[in-house]
Amino acid sequence: FKLVLGDVSSVRASGDAQSIIRATGLKAVAPDASTVEDPVIAASAPSGKGNVMVLGSVLFSDYELGKSGYGNADLTKAIIRWLFEGRW
């Protein structure tokens, strides 16, 4: 997906979590306040009977969704489908 992003923070995946979206060509602030190039901005993990996703940037505000030519809306829909496991 080609995304438009505002401020970006890097997330760290551990345990069962998987890093699933990397912001190639960007710099971000890591959890330890260092600067990270090509940061991981989304991680997912199973939790109980469902899934959890942590995002290091907003993907779906009026600003991001209002920009034409970007895949923020499609990615947001895919995340929602994944979180709801096709039940929504």
Side-chain angles (χ1 to χ4, degrees):
F1 293 95
K2 178 181 175 185
L3 303 173
V4 59
L5 302 170
D7 292 333
V8 177
S9 294
S10 183
V11 298
R12 183 178 301 138
S14 62
D16 291 340
Q18 297 178 1
S19 302
I20 59 169
I21 301 175
R22 184 171 295 276
T24 306
L26 294 180
K27 292 183 180 180
V29 177
D32 65 1
S34 63
T35 300
V36 176
E37 292 194 31
D38 301 334
V40 172
I41 62 165
S44 65
S47 178
K49 294 181 180 180
N51 298 304
V52 174
M53 182 174 290
V54 176
L55 301 172
S57 182
V58 176
L59 299 176
F60 45 83
S61 75
D62 288 343
Y63 171 76
E64 286 83 13
L65 296 179
K67 298 281 187 177
S68 63
Y70 292 91
N72 291 59
D74 292 332
L75 178 59
T76 300
K77 290 175 193 173
I79 289 169
I80 291 170
R81 279 193 300 274
W82 177 78
L83 286 171
F84 282 90
E85 298 176 333
R87 294 184 302 257
W88 183 62

